[in-house]
């Protein structure tokens, strides 16, 4: 039995022959209408043309492969399952947020910004706070010690910062009220 030699052609050649774009040729391959092989993908000319003609003939005569009702129902069930899973995950995240186990990025950003602003205010006040004291100090060692004490006091104040769960819950409630207000305004 003699083996026929393959006449491999590029995607561009097949697209030109069929009068379609290279993207459409790739779609036909993805849909299983034509077969390609190798890298870069090449198409055996005779079987590719034969498959494409069969596809066009089936399409023209209404015999085109279509998803069955059972396949459609299966896809619908899968989509509903994914939707329910996503909704359950969202509710779980809301519950974690309510329990204080999870925080929104905008809340973390706001708390961090407040903390940074507190540090900034302390640092900006430092020169005025020390100016009078340092004016009366005669040695560098004494000045360094006075500055060190003031910095230690600032660090002590900063270390007393504590996460306020109640303040976070208040923010959460305010955000929920704002969302409800926006929803009420949008609903006719």
């Amino acid at each position: 039995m003699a083996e026929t030699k393959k006449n491999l052609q590029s995607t561009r050649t097949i697209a030109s022959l069929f009068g379609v774009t290279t993207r459409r040729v790739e779609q036909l391959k993805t849909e299983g209408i034509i077969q390609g092989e190798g890298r870069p993908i090449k198409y055996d000319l005779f079987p590719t043309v034969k498959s494409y003609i069969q596809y066009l003939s089936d399409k023209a005569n209404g015999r085109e492969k279509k998803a069955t009702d059972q396949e459609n129902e299966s896809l619908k069930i899968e989509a509903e399952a994914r939707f329910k899973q996503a909704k359950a995950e969202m509710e779980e995240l809301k519950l974690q947020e309510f329990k204080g186990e999870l925080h929104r990025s905008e809340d973390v950003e706001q708390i961090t910004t407040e903390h940074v602003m507190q540090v900034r205010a302390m640092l900006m006040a430092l020169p005025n706070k020390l100016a009078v004291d340092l004016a009366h100090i005669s040695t560098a060692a004494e000045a360094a010690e006075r500055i060190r004490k003031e910095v230690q006091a600032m660090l002590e104040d900063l270390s007393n910062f504590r996460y306020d769960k109640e303040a976070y819950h208040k923010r959460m409630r305010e955000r929920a009220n704002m969302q409800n207000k926006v929803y009420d305004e949008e609903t006719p």
Side-chain angles (χ1 to χ4, degrees):
M1 192 172 194
E3 205 175 292
T4 59
K5 186 175 178 185
K6 292 183 177 183
N7 182 1
L8 297 177
Q9 299 296 321
S10 69
T11 303
R12 184 175 290 158
T13 301
I14 297 298
S16 177
L17 182 65
F18 291 173
V20 297
T21 64
T22 55
R23 177 70 188 121
R24 180 64 183 139
V25 172
E26 292 166 2
Q27 287 174 337
L28 291 168
K29 179 185 176 298
T30 302
E31 293 169 8
I33 295 164
I34 60 175
Q35 303 297 316
E37 57 188 64
R39 286 266 184 235
I41 295 175
K42 300 282 186 176
Y43 300 89
D44 190 1
L45 187 60
F46 180 72
T48 300
V49 170
K50 186 177 177 182
S51 296
Y52 188 61
I53 290 171
Q54 183 65 48
Y55 163 74
L56 291 176
S57 175
D58 288 347
K59 187 174 179 181
N61 294 319
R63 295 183 303 234
E64 180 182 13
K65 290 183 183 176
K66 294 183 179 176
T68 64
D69 289 339
Q70 186 177 8
E71 289 173 338
N72 287 339
E73 187 63 28
S74 176
L75 292 173
K76 181 180 175 185
I77 290 170
E78 287 176 23
E80 287 173 353
R82 284 193 308 273
F83 176 75
K84 287 178 181 177
Q85 178 67 31
K87 194 170 182 178
E89 287 175 9
M90 289 294 293
E91 291 303 316
E92 179 64 28
L93 291 173
K94 286 180 184 177
L95 179 61
Q96 287 178 332
E97 182 183 14
F98 181 74
K99 289 180 177 178
E101 298 169 355
L102 181 72
H103 299 307
R104 291 180 178 229
S105 60
E106 59 263 24
D107 293 334
V108 172
E109 180 182 8
Q110 184 177 3
I111 290 169
T112 303
T113 300
E114 289 170 4
H115 204 60
V116 167
M117 295 307 288
Q118 181 184 6
V119 170
R120 182 183 183 281
M122 290 174 145
L123 289 173
M124 295 300 289
L126 193 59
N128 291 337
K129 206 171 193 182
L130 293 175
V132 175
D133 289 348
L134 294 178
H136 299 295
I137 295 176
S138 56
T139 67
E142 288 178 294
E145 182 58 31
R146 178 64 186 106
I147 294 170
R148 187 177 299 108
K149 282 181 182 178
E150 195 57 41
V151 169
Q152 285 295 332
M154 283 175 46
L155 292 173
E156 182 68 30
D157 284 348
L158 291 172
S159 71
N160 290 328
F161 175 80
R162 297 291 177 252
Y163 167 71
D164 186 353
K165 199 172 197 174
E166 192 52 44
Y168 177 74
H169 281 285
K170 181 180 176 189
R171 259 190 206 134
M172 213 170 61
R173 285 189 298 274
E174 288 171 357
R175 183 176 40 251
N177 288 339
M178 289 300 292
Q179 288 173 343
N180 288 339
K181 185 176 182 181
V182 168
Y183 177 75
D184 290 342
E185 289 173 359
E186 291 176 352
T187 306

